[in-house]
Amino acid sequence: MATVHHWTGLEARALRSALRLSVRAFAEHLGVGIRTVSKWEKLLTETEPRPDTQAILDTALARASADTHARFARNLSEAVTTRSQRHTPPTVPQAWEYESWADDLDRVIIALSHQDFAVAGNLLHRRLDHFVEGEANDRGLYLFARSTALLGDLRRDRGVLWGPLSARHAYSIANGLFSGLDIPRRLAQTELSLALVDEMSGKVEQASRTYERLTCDGRLSGRDRSRSRLWLGRSASKLGDNDRAVKVMTEAAREFEDLAEPGDWSVAHQKIALAHRAKGGLTKALRHIDIARSGGSGDSPLQRVRLSTAHGHVLMSDPNTRDSGLAILNEAAEVAGRYGLGHQLRSIEGIRRSEDVVPNVVPPRSPWQ
């Protein structure tokens, strides 16, 4: 009778083959999950069942017939011989490699916050371009999904919204991975990111419905739910319902204040200012712009461009301050062009066209530069 002193995935696979069971049937036979058996099959000697599962495998082998024992011994001998002849090193990345990858993602987040797209892109592609899904465990798949979502953020900030190299494409891949890994918070975040791409692409009503659903979604953090509320208000303004927009975005601003999120709080007041401008309330619009400017919104290029764009737009709505507004808008366009903020540049061009101003825009950098 064959015995096993210590089970690995290799011995478990040999037993399944000896019992002539499929992966699913073997999992049911042992009373373990299908993913557990699949992990043994893939990692072989690089994974070891838990102590309680070791005992289950001992019992399954002890209860097997003599023929099964003979097949098991033969299968195990052939598997060991084959692996010895191949001299194949383990393909699964070591723990330190995943830790290094996680450190790189922290660097990516910092680079993206300063719109240093070249550094962020290099860090992401260094990992994504060499990733082999079949060699990764759940930790590796999670890091791949996070990297892909951050690649979506990079492309979104550059204004690359559609196509095979777009933000939407990256977010869709990340969404599928987080769904497969069953990570609800990350899944909801990619749903929010996809809605944002819809809004930026002109699908405002579709985005608005998603924002409204996510404002009370328990999978999201308080900050992300408040962002959903802010973007719901912004979409209401784009759809012409500025009274609702002001009400919803004021609620979001209060939530950001309670959460001690000065950057989001400042952005909320910028958007409230633009809703008041659309209603013709320039005095209230300027008051909210002043609040946003004094609120510590941060000093990244994207934050400066957003605030300057909103400020210039409000000033251009008044004939007495039109020239000052145009000057501020021109400065914002120059910064947006320098950092490759394609979506912000298109917004500025739209404002200029609406105000009958001939654009003088610095073109955005190519996404591949």
Side-chain angles (χ1 to χ4, degrees):
M1 301 289 284
T3 58
V4 175
H5 296 292
H6 189 77
W7 292 87
T8 70
L10 182 69
E11 288 80 13
R13 187 178 71 170
L15 177 57
R16 180 188 66 77
S17 178
L19 289 167
R20 295 174 175 169
L21 296 175
S22 67
V23 169
R24 180 181 296 276
F26 188 51
E28 293 175 354
H29 180 69
L30 298 178
V32 300
I34 296 174
R35 291 184 66 182
T36 298
V37 177
S38 297
K39 179 181 177 182
W40 297 340
E41 298 274 323
K42 181 171 67 174
L43 300 184
L44 299 178
T45 58
E46 301 304 316
T47 186
E48 298 178 359
R50 295 180 312 207
D52 57 335
T53 311
Q54 296 260 345
I56 292 172
L57 288 163
D58 286 338
T59 301
L61 179 60
R63 291 178 176 175
S65 67
D67 288 344
T68 300
H69 275 262
R71 287 194 297 269
F72 173 72
R74 184 170 60 253
N75 291 344
L76 191 57
S77 176
E78 291 175 353
V80 171
T81 301
T82 300
R83 287 179 63 82
S84 176
Q85 290 173 346
R86 287 178 181 171
H87 298 289
T88 304
T91 58
V92 180
Q94 302 299 310
W96 68 265
E97 294 181 89
Y98 284 152
E99 289 301 317
S100 176
W101 192 346
D103 289 342
D104 279 351
L105 293 189
D106 290 337
R107 295 169 63 194
V108 169
I109 292 170
I110 293 171
L112 287 178
S113 71
H114 295 91
Q115 286 71 64
D116 194 341
F117 297 131
V119 169
N122 286 337
L123 288 169
L124 289 171
H125 285 294
R126 184 168 72 186
R127 300 294 182 176
L128 294 173
D129 292 350
H130 297 91
F131 179 78
V132 180
E133 185 173 346
E135 297 177 0
N137 57 22
D138 284 356
R139 173 65 169 162
L141 288 173
Y142 171 78
L143 290 169
F144 179 72
R146 281 286 290 133
S147 300
T148 306
L150 288 170
L151 182 63
D153 291 345
L154 185 156
R155 292 171 174 173
R156 183 194 68 204
D157 287 348
R158 301 205 71 166
V160 185
L161 305 179
W162 292 93
L165 297 177
S166 68
R168 166 168 286 281
H169 184 69
Y171 287 142
S172 296
I173 293 174
N175 184 269
L177 289 167
F178 287 134
S179 177
L181 290 167
D182 193 21
I183 304 178
R185 176 171 171 264
R186 295 298 186 188
L187 180 60
Q189 285 178 330
T190 55
E191 291 172 15
L192 182 57
S193 296
L194 284 165
L196 183 56
V197 170
D198 283 339
E199 182 195 343
M200 293 169 69
S201 304
K203 297 183 177 181
V204 182
E205 291 184 359
Q206 179 175 315
S208 180
R209 289 191 293 271
T210 304
Y211 293 149
E212 189 154 24
R213 173 173 57 83
L214 293 175
T215 57
C216 54
D217 194 317
R219 296 175 300 169
L220 291 172
S221 67
R223 184 189 184 197
D224 283 334
R225 289 196 298 272
S226 296
R227 281 179 162 178
S228 300
R229 194 178 312 282
L230 174 61
W231 295 340
L232 173 63
R234 182 177 62 191
S235 62
S237 182
K238 289 183 178 181
L239 293 170
D241 192 350
N242 288 293
D243 288 330
R244 185 192 183 208
V246 169
K247 180 177 181 295
V248 171
M249 290 191 290
T250 299
E251 292 174 4
R254 289 177 185 144
E255 291 172 358
F256 288 134
E257 186 170 3
D258 291 340
L259 291 167
E261 294 288 350
D264 292 318
W265 180 84
S266 175
V267 171
H269 282 283
Q270 294 173 39
K271 303 306 178 185
I272 294 170
L274 292 174
H276 279 300
R277 186 210 68 82
K279 293 172 59 178
L282 296 183
T283 300
K284 289 183 178 180
L286 286 170
R287 179 166 63 83
H288 282 281
I289 285 292
D290 288 341
I291 292 172
R293 294 176 68 194
S294 63
S297 62
D299 196 38
S300 75
L302 180 58
Q303 290 165 330
R304 294 201 308 270
V305 168
R306 284 173 172 167
L307 181 55
S308 295
T309 301
H311 189 197
H313 196 182
V314 172
L315 290 177
M316 288 186 69
S317 302
D318 185 342
N320 295 320
T321 56
R322 177 182 171 85
D323 290 343
S324 297
L326 180 58
I328 292 173
L329 213 59
N330 288 340
E331 291 175 4
E334 192 277 328
V335 175
R338 190 191 319 154
Y339 286 92
L341 302 173
H343 182 73
Q344 301 303 317
L345 268 178
R346 288 194 288 271
S347 296
I348 293 170
E349 292 171 4
I351 294 170
R352 284 167 159 162
R353 284 194 298 269
S354 68
E355 299 292 337
D356 295 323
V357 175
V358 177
N360 180 22
V361 182
V362 179
R365 296 175 181 178
S366 164
W368 296 277
Q369 289 181 339

